[in-house]
């Protein structure tokens, strides 16, 4: 434990965001790092709990108190080694993970939790800045061939670990760029895509080969894939949308799934031409159905495109901002969370179910029929 009284001396301090009026005019990230010294103070708040609930709250079991201590002691490089021992890509999670570790933090019971996600991101960003993130090629090759199908974070991590174990790994992706939902589902303003590219450079140096446009079962024969490899890892994503099938008017023009909308903008940001069927919120009044992170991503993207008005519908009731944690801690509580995108200019409506979509004479959606409660 770095500073025994750190949690008594220092309050929680989070990374600020750039002003709304500025950030909605571009597609870059807008979270401002705290800087080394302020981050070390935040790390000093960690109590190095006998039972670190943060560790179990973290889906990859990051050894959080260990690297908090290392950051407090200014040993960032060792903190990076420790962080990488459980997490191949902390620069992704340090940006887009919802941080269940912080809800599970013991300090969260009667104080503000440690800014774990901020510290994680600072460690790995510093690692890249300092040139500490280097390829780790295997000392010996096994001559085993492994295909990893799906290049989202799970597929990338599997490919990297397998390559470091000495196997010949090909990472296969059906789209035209590696990264899965990281590449095309997460808006650039939440995670810039050069972060994927710099990891790909490391992985290529470790022996991973990348194959895009390879849709197994469509343009890649399954039997041939199995015959050519000693093992195949299936790391496909979860792209099936939740439809409102059967809702009257569902087939009207102007009703889109998030994953038809969001990738288009990321592709345009990457330099691709706008598709002929571009979904463009510029000047539109729109409704986002769904109150979760995907809905927020649609709001942030629509705001930057220049939507006139955005209303978001959530089927559940409005949760409390400060639920009784004695009933749920260390688990993920249902609480009111207003995302950065929601704050940029949108209205939220709770307990709303969509009963029907109403169209105009041209077959385009113009309204929906809601039901409260
Ligand atoms: S639960 Fe919180 S205070 Fe305890 S070790 Fe984890 S981060 Fe530190």
């Amino acid at each position: 434990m770095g500073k025994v009284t750190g949690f008594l001396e220092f309050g929680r301090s989070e990374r600020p965001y750039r002003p709304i009026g500025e950030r909605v005019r571009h597609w870059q990230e807008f979270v401002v790092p705290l800087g080394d010294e302020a981050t070390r103070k935040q790390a000093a708040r960690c109590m190095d709990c006998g039972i670190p609930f943060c560790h179990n709250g973290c889906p990859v079991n990051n050894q959080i108190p260990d690297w908090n201590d290392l950051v407090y002691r200014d040993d960032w490089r060792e903190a990076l080694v420790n962080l990488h021992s459980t997490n191949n890509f902390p620069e992704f999670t340090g940006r887009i993970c919802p941080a269940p570790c912080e809800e599970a933090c013991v300090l969260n019971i009667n104080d503000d939790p440690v800014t774990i996600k901020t510290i994680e991101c600072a460690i790995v960003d510093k690692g890249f800045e300092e040139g500490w993130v280097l390829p780790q090629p295997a000392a010996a090759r096994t001559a085993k061939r492994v295909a990893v199908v799906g290049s989202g974070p799970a597929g990338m991590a599997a490919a990297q670990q397998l390559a470091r174990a000495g196997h010949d790994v090909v990472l296969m992706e059906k789209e035209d760029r590696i990264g899965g939902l990281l590449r095309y589902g997460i808006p650039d303003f939440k995670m810039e895509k050069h972060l994927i590219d710099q990891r790909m450079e490391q992985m290529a140096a470790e022996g991973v080969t990348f194959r895009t446009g390879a849709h197994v079962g469509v343009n890649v024969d399954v039997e041939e894939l199995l015959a050519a490899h000693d093992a195949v890892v299936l790391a496909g994503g979860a792209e099936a949308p939740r439809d409102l099938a059967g809702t009257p008017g569902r087939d009207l023009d102007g009703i889109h799934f998030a994953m038809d909308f969001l990738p288009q903008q990321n592709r345009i940001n990457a330099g691709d031409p706008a598709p002929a069927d571009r979904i463009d919120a510029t000047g539109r009044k729109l409704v986002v159905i769904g109150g979760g992170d995907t809905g927020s991503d649609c709001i942030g993207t629509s705001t930057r495109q220049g939507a006139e008005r955005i209303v978001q519908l959530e089927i559940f009731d409005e949760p409390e901002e400060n639920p009784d944690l004695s009933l749920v801690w260390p688990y993920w509580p249902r609480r009111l969370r207003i995302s950065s995108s929601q704050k940029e200019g949108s209205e939220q409506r709770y307990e709303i179910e969509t009963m029907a979509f109403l169209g105009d004479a041209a077959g385009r959606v113009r309204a929906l029929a809601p039901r409260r409660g």
Side-chain angles (χ1 to χ4, degrees):
M1 181 174 183
K3 190 169 179 59
V4 176
T5 55
F7 68 99
L8 297 172
E9 290 179 44
F10 309 121
R12 176 181 165 101
S13 178
E14 295 187 70
R15 293 171 288 183
Y17 297 160
R18 298 211 179 280
I20 289 174
E22 175 195 321
R23 72 191 193 224
V24 298
R25 294 202 297 269
H26 60 73
W27 297 94
Q28 282 86 52
E29 293 177 7
F30 52 81
V31 179
V32 183
L34 287 183
D36 287 3
E37 289 315 304
T39 304
R40 287 182 60 212
K41 273 189 184 171
Q42 292 303 301
R45 295 185 70 236
C46 177
M47 303 184 294
D48 192 15
C49 302
I51 300 175
F53 283 86
C54 58
H55 188 147
N56 284 341
C58 173
V60 295
N61 297 126
N62 279 340
Q63 298 169 159
I64 293 160
D66 296 28
W67 41 257
N68 278 341
D69 181 56
L70 288 161
V71 166
Y72 171 68
R73 295 176 190 280
D74 213 14
D75 192 349
W76 293 80
R77 188 158 191 169
E78 193 57 33
L80 181 67
V81 171
N82 191 304
L83 180 53
H84 270 146
S85 73
T86 55
N87 186 347
N88 288 66
F89 312 124
E91 68 276 22
F92 304 160
T93 49
R95 286 172 168 79
I96 58 174
C97 177
C101 55
E102 295 190 11
E103 291 289 2
C105 175
V106 175
L107 262 184
N108 196 31
I109 297 173
N110 63 346
D111 198 338
D112 295 323
V114 174
T115 50
I116 299 168
K117 182 173 161 181
T118 292
I119 297 165
E120 174 185 41
C121 199
I123 293 169
V124 68
D125 283 355
K126 189 175 182 69
F128 275 106
E129 283 165 24
E130 298 287 341
W132 297 336
V133 183
L134 299 169
Q136 299 175 35
R141 310 299 304 177
T142 64
K144 299 288 186 188
R145 294 164 57 88
V146 182
V148 178
V149 180
S151 75
M156 286 181 70
Q160 184 166 57
Q161 291 302 112
L162 288 162
R164 288 176 177 177
H167 307 309
D168 294 332
V169 181
V170 57
L171 180 57
M172 306 178 77
E173 167 58 50
K174 67 176 164 38
E175 300 292 344
D176 57 345
R177 293 182 177 95
I178 293 292
L181 285 179
L182 289 172
R183 178 74 69 178
Y184 287 131
I186 304 291
D188 292 1
F189 57 81
K190 284 175 68 177
M191 199 195 94
E192 293 176 8
K193 305 314 173 211
H194 67 86
L195 297 163
I196 305 172
D197 300 336
Q198 69 185 9
R199 274 298 173 184
M200 287 175 63
E201 281 179 32
Q202 182 196 35
M203 292 168 65
E206 292 167 345
V208 176
T209 56
F210 302 99
R211 190 172 156 198
T212 55
H215 197 169
V216 175
V218 177
N219 63 4
V220 176
D221 184 77
V222 175
E223 295 304 324
E224 288 178 17
L225 182 76
L226 290 171
H229 297 88
D230 295 288
V232 174
V233 177
L234 298 180
E239 293 184 15
R242 292 174 65 185
D243 202 352
L244 292 179
T247 303
R250 171 63 186 87
D251 56 351
L252 289 165
D253 286 343
I255 303 173
H256 308 282
F257 288 124
M259 281 307 295
D260 291 331
F261 173 54
L262 297 173
Q264 285 189 355
Q265 187 60 54
N266 283 15
R267 288 180 187 279
I268 292 168
N269 294 348
D272 292 353
D277 62 347
R278 183 179 183 196
I279 305 166
D280 189 353
T282 307
R284 300 278 188 187
K285 296 174 184 151
L286 61 111
V287 174
V288 173
I289 299 175
D293 285 343
T294 304
S296 275
D297 292 347
C298 291
I299 291 172
T301 300
S302 301
T303 300
R304 282 159 181 74
Q305 288 181 350
E308 185 181 321
R309 184 183 177 204
I310 305 171
V311 177
Q312 183 180 29
L313 306 184
E314 163 64 54
I315 199 165
F316 294 115
D317 59 340
E318 184 172 1
E320 293 177 55
E321 198 170 342
N322 295 302
D324 184 352
L325 290 181
S326 69
L327 299 176
V328 289
W329 181 90
Y331 299 112
W332 182 255
R334 185 166 180 267
R335 70 161 83 226
L336 183 64
R337 297 177 175 87
I338 305 296
S339 72
S340 56
S341 290
Q342 288 172 324
K343 284 181 185 161
E344 288 166 359
S346 63
E347 305 157 43
Q348 278 65 49
R349 304 273 189 275
Y350 293 88
E351 289 183 83
I352 299 291
E353 187 177 2
T354 302
M355 304 307 294
F357 297 98
L358 311 175
D360 59 19
R364 186 171 177 82
V365 69
R366 63 173 176 78
L368 59 77
R371 182 172 73 180
R372 182 92 199 250

